[in-house]
């Protein structure tokens, strides 16, 4: 195994190796993923993993022999799930929803400006169509449905990744085609203010996401009920490489996509 692959493996199984070093890491990973899909809180999940670790240490028996299939065992525990707060949906979906609205509005404004520049001296304007509004509404509804049924969707993605990718591609294509076909104009707006508003909305969503990441609003760390000295503080204050990468991806993927799409628009449409 190369040093790079060793680092990737260590990052992948960081939680399992830290909390259950005597449990087969692939078994522990499947166990943790299933409990996460069941929406079990991090402290309860850590306690369940600690019980498996304790049994394996005391008996010397592999987890697969003692508890069987990790997914079936996780389901059999019937652990309490997390209760949803009144504003949880806004907290989770707010930043990405705001970013996406800003991305679309900014793209509409900039593309109109670039096209007007190519045509020479024409005052740029954005014709807001039924399809554009429908695309915004469809996306917001889609992320809300994903939030409400996230466990079932993620389970399907893990079980059938290829089929899930095909379905996602088909939905995105349907959204794009619908936006093009519904071309009735609702209102015409000057492009520069539209672009500025879109940029401000995108920045607001990004700042919101950064604020949440800094405060750890969405974090639910997996903690052992009997940690060594300092482990709780360290577990709450620091995150593994995979968790840091995921948090950064959630925050920056939409702004980076915005920059890439604006660059492409400038290069292609601006000629």
């Amino acid at each position: 195994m190369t040093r790079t692959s060793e680092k990737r493996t260590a990052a992948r199984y960081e939680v399992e190796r830290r909390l259950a070093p005597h449990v087969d890491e692939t078994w522990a990973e499947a166990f943790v993923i299933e409990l996460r899909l069941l929406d079990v809180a991090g402290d309860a999940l850590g306690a369940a993993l600690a019980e498996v670790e304790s049994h394996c240490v005391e008996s010397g028996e592999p987890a697969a022999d003692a508890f069987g299939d990790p997914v079936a065992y996780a389901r059999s525990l019937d652990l309490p799930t997390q209760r949803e707060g009144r504003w949880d949906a806004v907290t989770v979906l707010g930043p990405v929803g705001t970013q996406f609205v800003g991305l679309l509005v900014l793209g509409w404004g900039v593309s109109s400006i670039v096209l007007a520049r190519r045509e020479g001296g024409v005052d740029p304007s954005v014709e807001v169509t039924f399809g554009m509004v429908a695309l915004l509404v469809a996306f917001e509804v889609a992320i809300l449905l994903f939030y409400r049924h996230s466990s079932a969707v993620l389970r399907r993605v893990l079980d059938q990744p290829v089929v899930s990718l095909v379905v996602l591609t088909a939905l995105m294509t349907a959204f794009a085609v619908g936006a093009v076909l519904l071309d009735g104009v609702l209102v015409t707006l000057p492009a520069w203010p539209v672009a500025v508003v879109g940029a401000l909305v995108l920045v607001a969503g990004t700042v919101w996401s950064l604020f949440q990441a800094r405060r750890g609003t969405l974090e639910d760390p997996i903690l052992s009920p009997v940690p060594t000295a300092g482990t709780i503080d360290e577990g709450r204050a620091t995150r593994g490489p995979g968790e840091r990468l995921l948090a950064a991806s959630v925050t920056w993927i939409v702004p980076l996509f915005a920059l890439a799409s604006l660059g492409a628009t400038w290069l292609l449409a601006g000629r």
Side-chain angles (χ1 to χ4, degrees), residues 24 81-82 87 89 126 130 133 155 175 182 194 196 200 209 220 235 238 249:
D24 177 74
T81 58
Q82 301 182 73
W87 299 104
V126 177
F130 287 98
V133 175
R155 194 184 304 280
F175 287 166
L182 298 174
V194 170
V196 170
L200 291 176
S209 182
D220 182 25
T238 63
S249 299

Side-chain angles (χ1 to χ4, degrees), residues 79-110:
L79 296 174
T81 58
Q82 301 182 73
R83 293 184 177 180
E84 181 179 347
R86 178 179 300 178
W87 299 104
D88 282 0
V90 175
T91 301
V92 175
L93 303 179
V96 66
T98 303
Q99 284 180 319
F100 184 80
V101 171
L103 169 65
L104 285 184
V105 175
L106 175 62
W108 296 336
V110 170

Side-chain angles (χ1 to χ4, degrees), residues 196-219:
V196 170
V197 169
L200 291 176
V201 173
L202 178 60
V203 169
T206 304
V207 171
W208 189 356
S209 182
L210 287 171
F211 179 75
Q212 287 188 340
R214 185 176 182 84
R215 294 192 61 184
T217 304
L218 303 180
E219 292 181 11

